[in-house]
Amino acid sequence: MVVARSLAEAIAHLSAGGARVAAGGTELAASLHIDGPRTSKVVDISQLDELKGFDRTPDGGLRIGALSTLDDVCFHPAVQSAYAALSRAALAADRPDTRARATIGGNLCQRPRCWYLRADYLCVRAGGDLCFAADGDNRYHAILGGSRCHMVHPSDIAPALVALGARARVVGSAGVRVTPFEEFFLPPGLDSTRENTLGPADILTDILLPPSPAGWASTYRRASEPRTGYALAGVAAAALVIEKTVAEVSVVLAAAAPVPWRSREAEAQMAGRQPTPRLVRDAADEAMADAMPLADNRYKVDLFRALLVESLEEVCGLRRPV
Ligand SMILES: Cc1cc2nc3c(=O)[nH]c(=O)nc-3n(C[C@H](O)[C@H](O)[C@H](O)COP(=O)(O)OP(=O)(O)OC[C@H]3O[C@@H](n4cnc5c(N)ncnc54)[C@H](O)[C@@H]3O)c2cc1C
């Protein structure tokens, strides 16, 4: 393990190859074995002050340093007042005893929870040819978008950031780039061995939230897996209702697919219409119309429908926030 004293030093270590980043370290130890002999060095970035803190951006949005803890994110006044979906997702995203150490960057970059991957099966994600969940125990796996690999993306925060239109700032050996979170996560059809667009020498440095216009409402609701506390199903939703019409809406599902799953179908059902309980139910049905549950996870479809109804009613002002 090396402790990086600057971002440039951290990137130099990563560029040498075979290295992984450690931030809060709450997940890394449990997932190092997935990379097997490919990881020979851990680069501790936890001392890098430039990756910490919260700032207003020139456009009126908010910058969150990737080393901010889940507690910092959840309870920050600007996050609570303008980005409720993010505050709620950060609260859900870890146990109270580790939320003070776990970072938002680590949450977004954590490896999948799929038990076949974690038990060192040579599956598609580990570089093999098969997804063992397809015909195995798939009760917690994907119901959408799981063509080659049926894992679900483990982060609660990722869908909230996609719903809020946030962007990732990444620094690596090739310089700085800014990517919308909607394009940051990689579906298995593009690359089934990586969860996001980070290269081996890249570090996620900041989360950039756009300004939140007056009247925007957002939320995150989920149902938890009893054994580990991870999401069985989650819905991040944001909407702007003007003169009884849905002017803008975004709907993103957690624990449904290998990436945070944006439901354009539900959004199309809602956009430009007067929000009513009936419209919201129709949107929930649209979101589930293409679901392809596996043998053990059919229950997820009804769970998502219920969470979609609750979340969309809430952001359209038809239901009180929880
Ligand atoms: C018991 C338990 C329950 C949990 N429940 C949930 C849950 O319900 N929902 C949920 O969303 N999460 C859950 N988590 C995951 C938890 O939120 C993450 O473990 C935590 O946020 C990771 O943060 P960290 O700083 O400790 O990351 P680390 O452990 O340091 O790193 C995690 C991964 O991210 C990479 N990484 C970290 N920071 C960066 C960076 N800035 N740039 C590039 N790569 C980086 C590391 O290389 C590593 O692969 C749970 C974890 C535990 C242990």
Side-chain angles (χ1 to χ4, degrees):
M1 160 103 77
V2 292
V3 180
R5 297 288 162 206
S6 69
L7 194 50
E9 190 187 315
I11 288 165
H13 282 300
L14 294 172
S15 300
R20 289 265 299 273
V21 164
T26 61
E27 193 266 344
L28 181 69
S31 68
L32 265 183
H33 68 97
I34 296 174
D35 279 346
R38 276 182 292 167
T39 301
S40 54
K41 192 193 286 179
V42 171
V43 182
D44 178 352
I45 61 167
S46 63
Q47 308 302 312
L48 302 183
D49 287 340
E50 64 258 59
L51 270 62
K52 295 178 182 170
F54 296 73
D55 298 296
R56 278 283 165 211
T57 53
D59 64 356
L62 187 68
R63 179 201 78 93
I64 302 178
L67 286 175
S68 304
T69 68
L70 299 183
D71 265 350
D72 290 342
V73 173
C74 173
F75 299 113
H76 193 280
V79 176
Q80 286 187 317
S81 62
Y83 308 102
L86 175 57
S87 173
R88 300 272 309 272
L91 187 67
D94 215 331
R95 298 179 313 199
D97 54 331
T98 39
R99 253 196 338 255
R101 195 152 62 88
T103 67
I104 185 169
N107 179 276
L108 294 166
C109 301
Q110 62 180 298
R111 300 299 318 269
R113 304 297 305 169
C114 173
W115 37 40
Y116 294 105
L117 179 71
R118 296 259 166 176
D120 291 331
Y121 282 62
L122 185 57
C123 67
V124 170
R125 197 152 288 274
D129 294 325
L130 284 176
C131 173
F132 293 90
D135 297 316
D137 183 340
N138 47 43
R139 73 190 103 151
Y140 300 142
H141 288 77
I143 59 167
L144 287 159
S147 52
R148 277 172 56 69
C149 162
H150 296 271
M151 70 97 167
V152 291
H153 196 279
S155 169
D156 286 291
I157 292 179
L161 293 179
V162 175
L164 292 167
R167 293 171 302 149
R169 182 173 179 275
V170 173
V171 178
S173 48
V176 181
R177 64 181 191 275
V178 174
T179 312
F181 274 104
E182 195 170 355
E183 295 160 22
F184 179 78
F185 300 102
L186 285 175
L190 285 182
D191 187 339
S192 53
T193 60
R194 292 192 296 159
E195 290 76 60
N196 55 54
T197 58
L198 292 181
D202 286 339
I203 295 178
L204 172 64
T205 59
D206 306 279
I207 289 87
L208 304 171
L209 285 153
S212 169
W216 256 102
S218 71
T219 191
Y220 181 68
R221 289 177 180 247
R222 71 168 213 170
S224 304
E225 184 192 312
R227 192 177 51 89
T228 63
Y230 274 84
L232 288 171
V235 176
L240 177 62
V241 178
I242 300 175
E243 294 177 359
K244 295 189 179 169
T245 301
V246 178
E248 289 183 50
V249 61
S250 60
V251 182
V252 186
L253 310 183
V259 291
W261 187 263
R262 185 153 187 185
S263 178
R264 300 273 180 197
E265 297 80 5
E267 292 172 7
Q269 186 68 27
M270 301 284 297
R273 298 210 167 91
Q274 180 175 353
T276 61
R278 174 66 197 266
L279 182 75
V280 162
R281 275 201 310 277
D282 289 348
D285 287 343
E286 282 297 313
M288 287 295 107
D290 291 334
M292 300 212 335
L294 301 163
D296 304 325
N297 67 8
R298 292 178 199 286
Y299 70 93
K300 280 198 175 191
V301 175
D302 285 340
L303 210 46
F304 273 112
R305 273 208 195 91
L307 290 166
L308 279 154
V309 167
E310 290 176 8
S311 306
L312 288 170
E313 286 189 350
E314 181 184 333
V315 293
C316 291
L318 302 173
R319 176 188 290 258
R320 287 154 69 113
V322 280

